Amino acid sequence: MSTGRSAELAAEQNYVTGLHRRLDGIRAHVVHRLEEALAGTPHNPQAIGEKEATVQLYTERLVALDAADAGLCFGRLDRREDDVPRYIGRIGLSTEDGRVEPLLVDWRAPAAQPFYTATPLHDLGVRRRRHIRTRGRTVLSIADETLDLDALDSGAAERAGLTGESVLLAALNATRTGRMTDIVRTIQAEQDRIIRADARGVLVVQGGPGTGKTAVALHRAAYLLYTHRERLARSGLLIVGPSATFLSYIADVLPSLGETGVVLSDVGGLRPGLRAQVPERPEVAEVKGRLTMVEVIAAAVADRQGVLDSPVDLTVDGTPLRFTPTDAARARARGRAASRLHNEARPAYAGRVLDRLAQRYADTLGADVRGGVNLLDEADRAALRREIAGVPAVHALIDRLWPRLTPERLLRELFASPQRIAAATPGWSDADRELLSRPASSEWTAADVPLLEEADELLGVDDSGQRAAERRERARRRGDAQRVLDLLHGSRSQDNETEDESEELSAGDLLDAEGLAERQEEADYRTTAERAAADRTWTYGHVIVDEAQELSGMAWRLLMRRCPTRSMTIVGDVAQTGSLAGASSWAEVLTPHLGTQWRLEELTVNYRTPAEIMEVAAEVLAAGGAPTTAGRSVRSTGVRPWGRRVAEAELPDAVAEAAAEFDKEEGTLAVLVPRARLDAVTAAVGARLPGMSADLTDGPVILPPDGAKGLEFDSVLVVDPVRIVEEGARGHNDLYVVLTRATQRLGVVHPGDLPPELAGLEVRN
């Protein structure tokens, strides 16, 4: 290294060291405030809640500062307009003396955008862009780009829109750890444009494998939380992914960017208190995902608002009473007129039933006693109504004709009854009806969650009893508060009899009974994310959906309900759709919910998958008839993907042997297997390579094709591609997915012949 370069490296080290000193000072202040909060001794529920909230606030701040400490500063801009460099990093750091130019600019700030978007053709006032590579607090190297068009070759990468090519390729070639990391140092211009796009409306990001869709979506989340901090702090931000494995894979990215208050969920986890992780048969998921299920659920609810085919005879205190089909029809009309929500309408329905039976009871008693002239007054009639309301047979009648339903009860009883299914699905084929049928004891699946949510919207909650109890409790607190104030007022009056009237204000001067009672109510000090995750009716300020092509029409309906402002970012690739209920095109799945009110952006550059692998995968994409083309790979490893043919009986052991070969290489390994072979291959590989990973971070991981969506590994071993195609609802899409998970090496082990589209594999014995 030249003397001049060494001096520049030393200068950057000095500057970075100073940034960390500033960070240490801020951290020490936060620790001090946290210790003060922990040392406090609260004396009432409100103070306890305030303490918990303060502790959580400073704890989250410490988490963000600790995350920023790793790789705090990664870039510098030298501008034409002045000689003061602008440093770019994970968070913003201001100077202690209040100078205009901060010590460090947050990567999300507008002032940092040229670091990602300036090119020789559009330099945005930047003379030079410097990439600073660090490990901990040590500067390892610096790499400069001079944005001077005359100094560049005509074929330079910068002319194609790539920034920091050497830094980018170094990051892409690094081994994986089983957890996604941020790309904040290497965001490219097309990615940055999407990250910083307007939060209003629905933005759809279409991108093939390796284009950085997930990383862009997560960095967009961090950017929106920075830019719209106040609004999203109140309303929250939801990220929906395809599986629990995927959510674990991305879990570290936002904390590394200083953001912890985000709700992450798959569709199966969107209903509070329920984890629907049991797999559903593809054909059943497709039926449950149809938007026509909206009508089915509505019909199932209406079917539980019963009428009678024949009269029902009841006995009240020895008096026979009859409830007729006409009575039931009129009661149902009263209930439906009272509310469109089944459970909220139940009190009106029950009231009509009681009124009708009480009238008959009164008529019967009056005729017996007064010789046909009913002389019972209103008080007598009210007493009779109360008597009827306590009769178990009357309760049973109401429960039979208008039961109080939960979504879970409605769907369990619907799916367990062929008769109820038939009543709710007029015009359906017997085959489709059969797909809905299942025992009442069956566990919930992700495909059930949108149906449960739809049922919730139609059922509502009969909370009249709870509201009455709350009114009584509020009245009790007001009474207690008033007695306290009366005591204070009485004490003050006695004091004033012997002393001049005091000018000091008492609690009675500042509060009335209502205000004092409210102060005794327990406040909710949970974070926005905690409250949102626990509240089925919560509406988010922004929703991000990853692998969105897999969602059914009913799942989209659920998400649209969670985001009525339609501020959403949707990322995916219709060429990778594996679900029968998923998207063949974005217009197909979004038009029913949004019409034309959405916009499309495309990511076209494949940063992950080597060109050698994409040549093979592109043939599979074409064979499947996908409406998209493969992205342009920016890197080549010189390692061709290979295929090895083995005998059927030898397949599990051959896979284990190949996995052992790959396991000698550096980085992560995935064995991607058709479901029919999952158990046999898992046993063979487990015997050969003990310590298989359950969380992607250690040892090989064995997954079915749908379990690999959104993930990446250094080495990938694909087993029996023909079976993968045959098993999948959209088999070529599944094969395309598994072939494009590798960042370095790809091998295929297969019994029998390969499909023609894999003819480009190098043959190995």
Side-chain angles (χ1 to χ4, degrees):
M1 183 182 296
S2 68
T3 303
R5 199 62 170 169
S6 297
E8 289 189 79
L9 191 64
E12 298 297 12
Q13 179 65 71
N14 288 338
Y15 194 86
V16 168
T17 299
L19 293 176
H20 281 282
R21 288 199 195 98
R22 177 74 172 125
L23 186 71
D24 288 342
I26 296 172
R27 191 180 189 283
H29 173 73
V30 173
V31 169
H32 176 68
R33 297 300 298 270
L34 177 59
E35 289 173 344
E36 285 184 335
L38 290 170
T41 305
H43 299 288
N44 57 61
Q46 181 174 348
I48 291 173
E50 290 173 350
K51 174 181 177 177
E52 290 175 350
T54 302
V55 168
Q56 182 160 347
L57 174 67
Y58 286 121
T59 300
E60 289 180 355
R61 181 62 176 153
L62 276 179
V63 170
L65 292 173
D66 288 343
D69 196 39
L72 177 62
C73 175
F74 52 79
R76 163 180 159 171
L77 293 174
D78 295 332
R79 297 165 291 172
R80 299 185 192 283
E81 61 189 45
D82 56 45
D83 294 328
V84 180
R86 175 175 292 166
Y87 285 86
I88 313 298
R90 292 178 178 274
I91 62 173
L93 292 176
S94 60
T95 59
E96 295 184 88
D97 58 9
R99 285 182 295 165
V100 174
E101 186 67 37
L103 291 171
L104 190 65
V105 176
D106 192 298
W107 68 274
R108 296 167 286 190
Q113 189 169 9
F115 184 77
Y116 302 110
T117 57
T119 68
L121 293 174
H122 303 284
D123 62 29
L124 304 178
V126 177
R127 292 189 296 105
R128 181 178 66 176
R129 172 171 43 225
R130 170 169 287 178
H131 298 269
I132 302 173
R133 188 165 69 92
T134 62
R135 180 181 297 130
R137 300 188 172 196
T138 302
V139 176
L140 300 178
S141 64
I142 54 178
D144 290 339
E145 297 172 84
T146 302
L147 303 184
D148 181 351
L149 192 60
D150 294 334
L152 295 172
D153 296 333
S154 60
E158 289 88 344
R159 292 182 182 273
L162 292 176
T163 60
E165 182 182 25
S166 61
V167 176
L168 172 65
L169 292 179
L172 295 176
N173 285 320
T175 56
R176 270 50 188 172
T177 64
R179 288 288 182 268
M180 177 176 275
T181 57
D182 65 70
I183 59 167
V184 67
R185 294 191 305 122
T186 59
I187 292 171
Q188 301 302 300
E190 71 169 4
Q191 296 173 330
D192 185 80
R193 183 183 70 252
I194 293 169
I195 289 170
R196 298 175 190 268
D198 195 334
R200 292 172 296 183
V202 176
L203 173 64
V204 178
V205 182
Q206 161 68 35
T211 53
K213 299 183 298 296
T214 298
V216 166
L218 294 173
H219 286 71
R220 177 161 170 76
Y223 171 77
L224 293 176
L225 289 165
Y226 172 85
T227 308
H228 305 283
R229 178 73 64 188
E230 184 176 346
R231 177 173 68 84
L232 292 178
R234 295 192 306 270
S235 59
L237 190 148
L238 169 67
I239 297 178
V240 179
S243 66
T245 301
F246 175 86
L247 296 175
S248 296
Y249 175 63
I250 68 171
D252 295 340
V253 175
L254 284 171
S256 75
L257 297 172
E259 302 295 348
T260 56
V262 176
V263 178
L264 280 77
S265 180
D266 55 8
V267 172
L270 285 174
R271 185 168 177 80
L274 176 67
R275 287 299 304 165
Q277 296 182 316
V278 177
E280 187 77 272
R281 286 186 295 150
E283 61 273 21
V284 177
E286 189 275 327
V287 170
K288 290 182 177 180
R290 296 174 188 171
L291 282 174
T292 53
M293 287 300 296
V294 174
E295 300 167 9
V296 173
I297 301 300
V301 173
D303 186 53
R304 305 306 294 271
Q305 299 168 355
V307 291
L308 293 173
D309 295 326
S310 59
V312 174
D313 293 321
L314 303 164
T315 300
V316 177
D317 196 21
T319 301
L321 301 175
R322 171 162 287 191
F323 192 73
T324 69
T326 300
D327 295 333
R330 289 175 176 170
R332 183 172 70 173
R334 170 75 67 83
R336 289 178 173 177
S339 174
R340 72 174 186 85
L341 301 180
H342 174 88
N343 289 327
E344 292 183 12
R346 179 182 153 96
Y349 176 86
R352 175 68 180 183
V353 173
L354 294 176
D355 289 344
R356 190 62 183 140
L357 290 173
Q359 179 64 50
R360 289 224 168 90
Y361 196 17
D363 290 345
T364 301
L365 292 180
D368 288 344
V369 176
R370 305 295 181 181
V373 179
N374 195 329
L375 299 179
L376 296 178
D377 60 19
E378 289 300 319
D380 295 328
R381 292 173 183 274
L384 293 177
R385 191 180 188 278
R386 288 193 296 272
E387 183 181 352
I388 289 172
V391 175
V394 174
H395 283 281
L397 176 65
I398 293 171
D399 286 340
R400 169 187 161 193
L401 296 179
W402 199 292
R404 184 180 287 108
L405 294 171
T406 65
E408 289 78 7
R409 178 184 172 186
L410 176 75
L411 290 189
R412 285 192 192 282
E413 294 179 358
L414 170 65
F415 294 154
S417 169
Q419 294 77 21
R420 285 197 169 112
I421 291 175
T425 56
W428 278 40
S429 69
D430 289 341
D432 282 351
R433 286 173 177 163
E434 180 62 28
L435 290 173
L436 288 182
S437 182
R438 72 179 191 190
S441 59
S442 299
E443 295 186 67
W444 299 110
T445 71
D448 292 320
V449 169
L451 306 185
L452 290 167
E453 292 290 292
E454 187 69 26
D456 243 322
E457 293 295 307
L458 296 176
L459 293 175
V461 179
D462 176 12
D463 60 351
S464 54
Q466 180 183 343
R467 286 187 280 112
E470 290 173 350
R471 286 195 297 270
R472 290 192 295 271
E473 177 61 19
R474 284 196 297 271
R476 185 194 65 77
R477 282 198 297 265
R478 282 197 301 270
D480 291 345
Q482 188 61 60
R483 284 189 287 275
V484 170
L485 292 176
D486 290 344
L487 287 172
L488 289 173
H489 181 72
S491 173
R492 187 182 181 193
S493 298
Q494 292 175 3
D495 291 343
N496 287 341
E497 288 178 1
T498 56
E499 298 178 9
D500 293 338
E501 186 159 344
S502 172
E503 295 182 359
E504 295 181 1
L505 294 176
S506 71
D509 298 315
L510 298 173
L511 286 175
D512 58 12
E514 184 76 28
L516 185 58
E518 288 178 359
R519 288 197 171 193
Q520 305 310 307
E521 295 181 11
E522 186 173 347
D524 189 348
Y525 291 100
R526 292 175 298 171
T527 66
T528 296
E530 290 169 336
R531 286 184 287 119
D535 186 352
R536 189 197 70 78
T537 64
W538 191 276
T539 56
Y540 290 89
H542 195 84
V543 172
I544 292 176
V545 188
D546 202 351
E547 299 294 337
Q549 75 277 355
E550 301 299 325
L551 268 60
S552 69
M554 289 302 294
W556 281 116
R557 184 173 170 86
L558 184 162
L559 290 177
M560 296 296 168
R561 193 180 293 127
R562 295 295 179 91
C563 190
T565 60
R566 301 297 190 264
S567 176
M568 304 177 78
T569 303
I570 296 167
V571 302
D573 179 15
V574 292
Q576 297 185 59
T577 304
S579 169
L580 280 173
S584 297
S585 71
W586 293 116
E588 173 193 12
V589 294
L590 296 179
T591 298
H593 309 283
L594 299 169
T596 60
Q597 301 304 303
W598 53 280
R599 61 194 193 276
L600 179 68
E601 291 278 0
E602 290 194 63
L603 291 169
T604 60
V605 180
N606 185 333
Y607 301 100
R608 175 180 69 215
T609 317
E612 293 85 355
I613 294 176
M614 280 309 300
E615 288 177 9
V616 175
E619 294 299 319
V620 173
L621 184 65
T628 61
T629 57
R632 174 172 58 89
S633 292
V634 299
R635 54 192 282 267
S636 174
T637 61
V639 179
R640 287 185 61 192
W642 52 264
R644 179 180 296 161
R645 179 173 179 169
V646 299
E648 174 72 33
E650 298 172 358
L651 182 67
D653 289 337
V655 172
E657 181 182 347
E661 292 175 13
F662 268 158
D663 196 51
K664 296 174 184 176
E665 304 285 351
E666 189 176 6
T668 56
L669 166 62
V671 183
L672 305 181
V673 191
R675 284 194 178 273
R677 297 190 182 277
L678 201 56
D679 291 343
V681 169
T682 299
V685 175
R688 184 70 176 265
L689 297 172
M692 289 189 301
S693 174
D695 65 354
L696 311 182
T697 59
D698 182 34
V701 59
I702 301 179
L703 296 169
D706 59 329
K709 285 188 183 294
L711 308 181
E712 62 180 31
F713 307 89
D714 294 284
S715 301
V716 169
L717 190 62
V718 176
V719 179
D720 195 355
V722 171
R723 181 68 68 90
I724 288 175
V725 173
E726 291 174 348
E727 274 191 357
R730 307 186 193 209
H732 277 92
N733 290 11
D734 289 343
L735 183 56
Y736 182 60
V737 168
V738 299
L739 292 174
T740 54
R741 300 304 95 196
T743 65
Q744 303 291 339
R745 295 165 290 274
L746 172 68
V748 177
V749 180
H750 57 98
D753 295 333
L754 283 171
E757 52 269 25
L758 292 183
L761 292 173
E762 179 183 279
V763 178
R764 284 195 183 177
N765 297 319

